[in-house]
């Protein structure tokens, strides 16, 4: 079975962008693939997170992913910091990737903003950690939103350079899986900017836990232009906000943009937004209820994540140990009897 890996940062409550661009495709890929899904907290701290908030968001993200339909009996769901192989391989990849490659990454430029000198060095090498996340499992398919395409190209460059520098054929090429009409959902306030869970404006996004009233209000206030809903796709040219709302509708309805425009074209945005909000509530209400149910039992959630980390380690540890051997590191010592935290004088 082909192995699939994907991750999501616990940097806030997941948005409808995360759902339509990534998580919904994860659910489909469970059929016929061996899947690993990871809450990537090491990535989240590339931008400061208050510790208690990070812990809460990590559980909320895991609960939301389960609520969306990830089945822990079929897929491995775990938290990145609980599997040390990610950080070990990321260091090796920091030494393989070239600064020039990282300088071309548009996400760093977007996230660092104008004051790049103040960004963390972790944010700059974020793509190397992402490459390590995937390579540590020899995963071949990675379902992501369109915004991650550039990082996945870089991950292939890193794997290829590792293989070339060390004269091996160890890390396989990976294939991005970018699916659907809403592979890039844009902000409700600015159709040229990606919808993000960490955007300072709550009005810019629909969160998976938003209730019916909040959804209706945010959609009603979503930016549009004065022209009505167009009757064909050509009428969406140079209208980023209109394209975004129609794209979200199509993704939720499981239809094409042309079909949506055939149904709604020529009408005003008022009735269109009402229909869009209705579809969104129908999709998100069961997800929000199931997320709350998981969050009501944090013990069960933590146990499920620990079990996931054990299963993930069983795959990643031998692969990363082999990468370390290829690089020239000495083998890890097996634990010796009598040594360990229980004995005075030993760490
Ligand atoms: N707006 C989006 N449209 C479609 N897909 C999206 N994804 C994110 N935003 C959109 C996809 O969701 C997956 C998880 O993303 P992530 O949490 O690892 O990081 P991100 O891409 O930086 O997502 P956010 O929501 O913008 O997080 P913050 O605010 O923390 O930066 C990825 O597959 C991504 O493509």
């Amino acid at each position: 079975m082909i192995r699939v890996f994907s991750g999501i940062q616990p940097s806030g409550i997941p948005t409808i962008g995360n759902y339509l661009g990534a998580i919904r495709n994860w659910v489909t890929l469970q059929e016929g693939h061996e899947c690993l899904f990871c809450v990537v907290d090491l990535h989240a701290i590339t931008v400061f997170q208050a510790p208690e908030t990070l812990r809460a968001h990590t559980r909320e993200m895991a609960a939301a992913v389960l609520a969306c339909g990830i089945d822990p009996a079929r897929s491995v769901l775990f938290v990145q910091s609980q599997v040390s192989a990610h950080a070990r391989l990321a260091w090796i990849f920091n030494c393989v990737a070239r600064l020039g490659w990282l300088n071309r990454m548009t996400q760093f430029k977007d996230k660092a903003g104008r004051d790049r000198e103040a960004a963390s060095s972790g944010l700059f090498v974020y793509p190397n950690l992402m490459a390590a996340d995937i390579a540590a499992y020899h995963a071949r398919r990675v379902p992501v939103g369109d915004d991650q395409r550039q990082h996945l190209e870089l991950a292939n460059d890193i794997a290829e350079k590792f293989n070339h520098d060390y004269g091996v054929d160890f890390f396989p090429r990976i294939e991005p899986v970018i699916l659907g009409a809403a592979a890039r959902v844009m902000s409700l306030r600015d159709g040229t900017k990606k919808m993000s869970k960490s955007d300072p404006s709550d009005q810019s996004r629909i969160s998976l836990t938003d209730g019916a009233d909040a959804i209706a209000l945010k959609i009603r206030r979503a930016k549009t232009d004065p022209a009505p809903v167009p009757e064909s796709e050509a009428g969406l040219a140079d209208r980023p906000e209109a394209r975004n709302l129609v794209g979200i509708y199509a993704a939720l309805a499981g239809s094409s943009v042309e079909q949506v425009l055939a149904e709604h074209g020529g009408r005003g945005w008022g009735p269109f937004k009402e229909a869009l909000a209705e579809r969104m509530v129908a999709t998100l209400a069961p997800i929000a209820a199931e997320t709350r149910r998981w969050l009501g039992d944090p013990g069960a959630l933590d146990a499920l994540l620990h079990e996931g980390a054990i299963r993930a380690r069983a795959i990643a540890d031998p692969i990363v140990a082999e990468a370390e051997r290829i690089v020239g590191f000495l083998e890890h010592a097996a634990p010796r009897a009598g040594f360990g935290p229980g004995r005075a004088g030993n760490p």
Side-chain angles (χ1 to χ4, degrees):
M1 261 212 284
I2 292 178
R3 189 172 288 154
V4 165
F5 177 94
S6 200
I8 189 159
Q9 295 185 74
S11 44
I13 310 273
T15 68
I16 189 115
N18 300 129
Y19 176 68
L20 296 175
I23 306 171
R24 192 168 74 159
N25 301 327
W26 297 3
V27 175
T28 317
L29 282 166
Q30 291 184 111
E31 195 61 54
H33 295 86
E34 179 193 6
C35 294
L36 294 121
F37 299 118
C38 185
V39 180
V40 290
D41 52 354
L42 300 183
H43 285 276
I45 63 162
T46 55
V47 174
F48 179 78
Q49 311 284 330
E52 277 317 312
T53 309
L54 179 63
R55 255 185 286 278
H57 279 158
T58 300
R59 292 199 177 96
E60 279 160 14
M61 184 58 76
V65 165
L66 289 163
C68 288
I70 294 306
D71 173 2
R74 278 201 287 175
S75 301
V76 181
L77 176 66
F78 68 103
V79 176
Q80 187 183 29
S81 60
Q82 295 183 342
V83 180
S84 63
H86 293 250
R88 283 156 49 204
L89 188 57
W91 180 256
I92 294 176
F93 283 1
N94 283 343
C95 303
V96 172
R98 306 289 91 183
L99 281 182
W101 300 355
L102 293 168
N103 272 329
R104 286 193 285 276
M105 293 299 111
T106 56
Q107 181 169 295
F108 174 74
K109 291 176 192 158
D110 291 346
K111 286 204 174 175
R114 287 209 190 119
D115 193 2
R116 279 198 213 166
E117 298 286 308
S120 74
S121 43
L123 189 65
F124 189 65
V125 294
Y126 178 114
N128 298 343
L129 175 59
M130 182 165 163
D133 295 337
I134 302 159
Y137 298 89
H138 277 181
R140 286 172 190 269
R141 292 212 178 135
V142 185
V144 284
D146 189 54
D147 59 311
Q148 294 298 329
R149 191 187 290 275
Q150 196 187 32
H151 287 165
L152 293 188
E153 282 164 12
L154 183 82
N156 271 329
D157 290 344
I158 294 172
E160 213 170 274
K161 182 161 165 53
F162 178 98
N163 288 345
H164 175 268
D165 289 355
Y166 292 101
V168 292
D169 183 16
F170 186 60
F171 289 119
R173 277 195 76 73
I174 56 177
E175 187 193 319
V177 183
I178 298 169
L179 295 168
R184 193 184 281 254
V185 175
M186 309 310 279
S187 158
L188 300 179
R189 308 304 306 160
D190 176 355
T192 62
K193 213 172 121 194
K194 179 175 91 105
M195 183 183 284
S196 270
K197 57 180 120 60
S198 65
D199 190 299
S201 163
D202 185 51
Q203 296 298 311
S204 69
R205 61 176 164 264
I206 304 287
S207 300
L208 294 191
T209 50
D210 279 345
D213 292 345
I215 292 174
L217 191 66
K218 286 180 182 180
I219 296 292
R220 217 178 306 132
R221 286 189 182 157
K223 191 172 165 202
T224 41
D225 53 39
V229 180
E231 286 174 36
S232 74
E233 207 170 342
L236 290 173
D238 300 323
R239 297 176 67 190
E241 283 84 16
R243 178 178 289 285
N244 188 36
L245 293 186
V246 172
I248 297 173
Y249 191 108
L252 288 170
S255 50
S256 68
V257 165
E258 285 298 347
Q259 282 167 327
V260 175
L261 296 179
E263 194 185 331
H264 292 275
R267 295 161 72 196
W269 286 104
F272 177 85
K273 285 179 167 182
E274 235 171 77
L276 174 60
E278 231 170 76
R279 282 199 179 267
M280 229 178 240
V281 171
T283 304
L284 299 193
I287 293 176
E290 186 61 6
T291 303
R292 277 194 297 276
R293 197 185 65 74
W294 273 108
L295 290 174
D297 193 352
L301 190 58
D302 286 4
L304 186 149
L305 292 171
H306 287 152
E307 177 63 27
I310 291 168
R311 289 165 68 195
R313 273 184 230 131
I315 303 172
D317 279 348
I319 292 174
V320 173
E322 179 58 13
E324 289 169 333
R325 194 198 61 75
I326 290 169
V327 167
F329 296 168
L330 296 182
E331 263 178 51
H332 292 213
R336 274 194 285 155
F339 280 77
R343 260 178 69 143
N346 281 317

